[in-house]
Amino acid sequence: MTASGSALADYPERPLTLIVPWAAGGGTDATARTIARALEEELGQNVNVVNRTGGSGVVGHTAMINAEPDGYTIGLATGEVNMMHWLGLTNLTYEDFTPIAQINYDFPGIQVAADSPYGTLEELLDAIRSEPKGTFTASGTGQGGVWHLAFAGFLMDQGIPADKVIWIPSEGAAPAMTELVSGGIDIVPSSVPEARSMIEAGRVKSFAVMSPERIPSFPDVPTTNELIGSSYQVGEWRGIAGPKGMDPEVVATLESALEAAYNSDTYQGFMSQQGFGTEWRNAEEFGQLMKEMDGVFGEIVEQVGLAN
């Protein structure tokens, strides 16, 4: 066996760092910390989570691709990889990463205040079609963020101009929900779990979720396909990735350990309890998803008028 082969056989010999491009306390951070705990059990090494925030995800994702490709610094990449460069925020693209595995996918729901004058998704869409541009406002993330672009794509799918509903930037779904119940905005197309507390308090209702099946933790929320026959599905993926140029044997070791971690009670139990979506893709399949979604988001960004 060669020296390099011997070294690889011992991987990992020391703790790993898992970069998270979003703040502590959010859904991405919680997902990262849970998969890190499960991954530690599989690898026999500590996996230290480091939050590198800023630039709408640019700072953390840049740190991932600039790391040494030795398998000791990896990251929880998010769907913003497919958006940031189209928005002119960075030059990095999915091609700058080594995909290892996808572990999560959350679909957007369509939430309105409980006292909204619209009782169904169909009524809301009819009103958006018939009223002048700017009559309706929506929020749930920053300008050009995942829920903004996913909702704009849904409007396009329904034959409605992508920019007909005005997007009000926010720091996330939580502040947008507060604005929704106070009457400041009309729609929050975030993931349904992010609306859970307001739904349970009876202050928000979720008309539908843009997913292939109902979410098990929200069985009363129908899919858009059930209600209006729309098979449009664009949401937020999250997966483990590293910098370009990683050794295939290291990637294979991580991929195998991540699959076991993904299937563990630690990870599945937490994600189910929170209502977050679990979706597995191996390294090759994850790379294909990143490529496919890059084209989808590029078209939406163009239609919304945010392309740079």
Side-chain angles (χ1 to χ4, degrees):
M1 181 179 286
T2 63
S4 61
S6 175
L8 286 173
D10 295 330
Y11 172 85
E13 296 180 296
R14 52 188 169 86
L16 280 68
T17 295
L18 179 65
I19 295 171
V20 179
W22 305 101
T28 301
D29 178 70
T31 299
R33 291 179 187 277
T34 306
I35 199 70
R37 284 199 305 275
L39 190 57
E40 287 176 340
E41 297 171 19
E42 302 303 325
L43 293 176
Q45 293 285 355
N46 288 340
V47 179
N48 301 312
V49 175
V50 177
N51 300 88
R52 296 289 301 276
T53 62
S56 298
V58 172
V59 171
H61 286 102
T62 300
M64 290 179 215
I65 66 171
N66 287 339
E68 287 293 321
D70 56 8
Y72 287 99
T73 300
I74 54 180
L76 186 71
T78 65
E80 279 70 18
V81 167
N82 293 144
M83 307 166 207
M84 298 183 296
H85 66 102
W86 294 115
L87 296 164
L89 300 175
T90 178
N91 290 324
L92 74 81
T93 73
Y94 69 93
E95 294 179 298
D96 295 309
F97 295 84
T98 295
I100 301 171
Q102 181 192 348
I103 59 170
N104 161 251
Y105 199 105
D106 280 319
F107 294 96
I110 300 173
Q111 284 76 229
V112 299
D115 60 0
S116 168
Y118 308 102
T120 66
L121 177 61
E122 295 93 326
E123 288 179 12
L124 177 65
L125 289 173
D126 286 344
I128 293 171
R129 284 192 187 93
S130 60
E131 296 293 337
K133 176 182 173 180
T135 301
F136 291 88
T137 54
S139 188
T141 185
Q143 188 87 348
V146 61
W147 303 136
H148 179 195
L149 298 183
F151 185 62
F154 175 66
L155 293 177
M156 290 163 55
D157 175 71
Q158 293 301 300
I160 300 170
D163 59 353
K164 191 153 190 200
V165 175
I166 302 300
W167 190 261
I168 308 298
S170 75
E171 292 299 315
M177 285 293 163
T178 302
E179 193 70 11
L180 181 68
V181 299
S182 70
I185 55 175
D186 303 300
I187 307 161
V188 175
S190 68
S191 70
V192 184
E194 289 174 305
R196 179 194 294 275
S197 62
M198 288 293 192
I199 292 172
E200 291 177 347
R203 304 182 73 187
V204 164
K205 54 188 175 186
S206 186
F207 280 152
V209 61
M210 303 174 207
S211 60
E213 298 172 347
R214 294 192 183 200
I215 303 172
S217 50
F218 296 92
D220 296 332
V221 179
T223 67
T224 48
N225 193 30
E226 288 177 66
L227 294 179
I228 57 174
S230 170
S231 58
Y232 171 85
Q233 293 162 13
V234 169
E236 173 78 312
W237 57 256
R238 296 181 179 96
I240 304 299
K244 205 171 175 179
M246 290 178 64
D247 189 288
E249 290 186 41
V250 170
V251 174
T253 297
L254 284 169
E255 180 188 54
S256 176
L258 277 165
E259 186 168 14
Y262 171 87
N263 287 314
S264 69
D265 291 342
T266 298
Y267 184 71
Q268 291 293 331
F270 172 80
M271 297 297 275
S272 175
Q273 181 183 20
Q274 296 299 315
F276 295 148
T278 53
E279 193 160 324
W280 170 263
R281 282 183 173 85
N282 64 23
E284 183 180 356
E285 293 164 344
F286 182 30
Q288 285 298 316
L289 175 80
M290 293 169 82
K291 180 179 180 180
E292 176 187 331
M293 295 307 295
D294 205 75
V296 168
F297 279 115
E299 182 183 351
I300 296 172
V301 168
E302 181 82 28
Q303 292 294 322
V304 178
L306 293 175
N308 278 297

